[in-house]
Amino acid sequence: MFYQSLRFIILTITTLLLIVSCRHSESINAQPVIQQSTPNNIVISASPTPTSNQQQTIPVTDENQLVDIQTINQNIAIDIRYATKNNFLKKQLYPEARCVLRYGVAQKLAKVQADLEKNQLGLKVYDCYRPLSVQKLMWQTLPDNRYVANPAYGSRHNRGAAIDLTLVNRNRQEIEMPSAFDTFTPASHRDYSGGSTQSRKNRQLLEDAMKKQGFTGLSTEWWHFDAPGWENFPVMDVPFSQIHRSAE
């Protein structure tokens, strides 16, 4: 009788310990997933088809930080057309003339400038980062995706990873190209065979210099180049006033 009672007590204790152990295991597995916070450094669009209500923050790294090109290389000439009325819309779209690019893109462009200087040439930029709100204004005027990217998908300019530019001589005077900037005609295409022989040579010289650093040209605009890895950057609608002027 004693041994039967002892066996019953031991069995009861063992059962209770198993129940406690199972409940403890369930409580551990049921812990909520804690999301890691990200630094509140810059506001961007969160999707490939951004809207004003779809925004989030991302951490700033050396590669994705927006910087003024002249904090990287002051020898690059600036002629930001959309900060003036000298553009296809005939109105000022930017409050100030700034060439803002991703840090990594700006570094590559500085290398292009350094290579050109060996031949007494240099770069002049017409447009760099472009807020999405400006892209929408352009699309309203010229809804032709050969020349203006549909804002529903965003432009590479909206990502801070595209540049419109030309070549200048040692006196910072533009050298001849097959067409003027923002001339949306066949003369602006890279395969255009008209114009002077020298203008086509200059167009090719610019393309070769940019390709050396990994940039890719747009077939319909001799002046437009996309940085390698542009697709890794999000579309943005950050006003220039919120972008720091230094590379820090």
Side-chain angles (χ1 to χ4, degrees), residues 50-121:
T51 68
S52 58
N53 294 325
Q54 292 177 317
Q55 293 182 335
Q56 66 179 21
T57 58
I58 59 169
V60 168
T61 67
D62 284 345
E63 288 301 307
N64 71 22
Q65 185 176 358
L66 290 172
V67 298
D68 280 272
I69 186 59
Q70 291 191 316
T71 66
I72 306 300
N73 190 313
Q74 294 183 348
N75 291 336
I76 297 176
I78 303 294
D79 182 14
I80 306 301
R81 294 293 181 86
Y82 301 125
T84 72
K85 293 182 180 180
N86 184 20
N87 56 68
F88 77 97
L89 290 170
K90 306 301 180 185
K91 61 182 179 180
Q92 183 178 346
L93 301 173
Y94 299 164
E96 51 188 333
R98 296 174 65 186
C99 173
V100 174
L101 293 168
R102 301 287 181 173
Y103 178 76
V105 178
Q107 291 279 25
K108 292 180 183 298
L109 197 63
K111 292 179 181 178
V112 176
Q113 173 71 22
D115 284 343
L116 288 170
E117 287 176 356
K118 298 173 184 177
N119 295 312
Q120 305 298 309
L121 294 171

Side-chain angles (χ1 to χ4, degrees), residues 130 132 135 149-151 153-160 162 224 235:
R130 179 190 304 157
L132 181 62
Q135 190 72 30
N150 189 331
Y153 303 99
S155 165
R156 285 122 196 220
H157 283 287
N158 305 149
R159 303 169 188 269
H224 178 105
V235 172

Side-chain angles (χ1 to χ4, degrees), residues 8 10 12 14 16 32 36 38 42-43 50 70 73 76-78 82 94 97 113 118 138 149 169 181 191 194 203 218:
F8 176 78
I10 292 173
T12 302
T14 301
L16 290 172
Q36 294 183 346
T38 56
I42 193 165
V43 180
Q70 291 191 316
N73 190 313
I76 297 176
I78 303 294
Y82 301 125
Y94 299 164
Q113 173 71 22
K118 298 173 184 177
M138 291 181 173
N169 60 25
F181 170 64
D191 61 358
R203 179 185 65 193
L218 189 66

Side-chain angles (χ1 to χ4, degrees), residues 11-42:
L11 182 59
T12 302
I13 293 173
T14 301
T15 302
L16 290 172
L17 288 173
L18 285 172
I19 292 172
V20 170
S21 176
C22 288
R23 288 183 175 177
H24 178 67
S25 176
E26 289 174 356
S27 67
I28 291 175
N29 293 332
Q31 292 294 320
V33 176
I34 300 175
Q35 295 182 341
Q36 294 183 346
S37 61
T38 56
N40 187 17
N41 288 317
I42 193 165

